[in-house]
Amino acid sequence: ALKRFLLHSNMHVREGAVETLGRIGAEAVGAAEDLARMLSDPSEEVRLAAIGALGAIKSGDVLALHALVGLLKNGSLEERKAAARSLGAIGRSSQGVEEALLQALEDQDSEVRTAVADGLGGLPCRGSGTRSLVKAAGDAQSDVRSAATRALVLRQEAADGGRDLLSRLVHDPDP
């Protein structure tokens, strides 16, 4: 019944329908394709709601993942941050998803790098991701360092020098 509101002419109605699907969570996984289409809505508010809803329902839908990766690479600042967090919340790693997140860990904006590090914390452990997080834990911005450290802990990964890094960060006066 909510799906018909996704096509409503009023952006607030579309946004409300998308947010409701996100609140439903995993039970709304059947709406993933419709939500993925909402990522191209003319309203950024609707697009952001759709990004969050896809993360909330944890859909591994290929169309949705592809669209989220596209926004991570080419979206607005808010879309890039939201896409990174949603990809991590979905928690399904594929070569394309992890590669896109690792590339975005080099984003010029520290808020995006922070969101990406948080997102990587939700993905399965892989060596290249851990190495990139260890590097990000040395970022000039404390928020990025903190997010990278949290991600390393979440991944329960201390390989590639992670233990030494975590020890240094515990004693960092500006973590």
Side-chain angles (χ1 to χ4, degrees):
L2 277 174
K3 287 184 181 184
R4 68 185 174 108
F5 293 110
L6 296 176
L7 301 173
H8 199 278
S9 61
N10 184 307
M11 63 84 63
H12 297 292
V13 173
R14 293 191 311 275
E15 182 181 16
V18 167
E19 288 173 345
T20 300
L21 287 168
R23 282 193 294 276
I24 292 170
E27 293 177 26
V29 74
E33 193 173 315
D34 295 308
L35 288 169
R37 281 195 290 276
M38 299 308 291
L39 296 175
S40 61
D41 192 272
S43 164
E44 184 175 46
E45 289 87 356
V46 173
R47 291 192 307 272
L48 289 170
I51 293 168
L54 285 166
I57 67 173
K58 301 188 184 305
S59 169
D61 179 81
V62 175
L63 177 64
L65 291 175
H66 180 71
L68 287 170
V69 166
L71 285 171
L72 179 65
K73 292 179 179 180
N74 301 310
S76 69
L77 171 66
E78 295 303 318
E79 290 169 335
R80 294 192 324 268
K81 291 187 316 187
R85 289 192 176 102
S86 284
L87 287 166
I90 292 168
R92 292 201 176 108
S93 183
S94 69
Q95 186 67 25
V97 168
E98 186 167 24
E99 183 178 304
L101 283 166
L102 293 176
Q103 287 175 357
L105 201 51
E106 301 293 328
D107 195 283
Q108 289 183 333
D109 192 281
S110 66
E111 290 180 47
V112 174
R113 293 194 309 274
T114 300
V116 169
D118 284 334
L120 283 166
L123 296 182
C125 301
R126 293 188 190 200
S128 61
T130 299
R131 285 189 293 278
S132 295
L133 284 168
V134 167
K135 180 181 174 192
D139 194 277
Q141 297 295 317
S142 63
D143 289 346
V144 178
R145 291 194 307 269
S146 295
T149 302
R150 282 191 306 272
L152 285 165
V153 170
L154 284 173
R155 291 168 72 120
Q156 297 177 351
E157 184 70 38
D160 300 322
R163 281 185 219 270
D164 293 338
L165 172 71
L166 291 174
S167 176
R168 278 198 328 259
L169 289 172
V170 165
H171 298 89
D172 187 343
D174 181 29

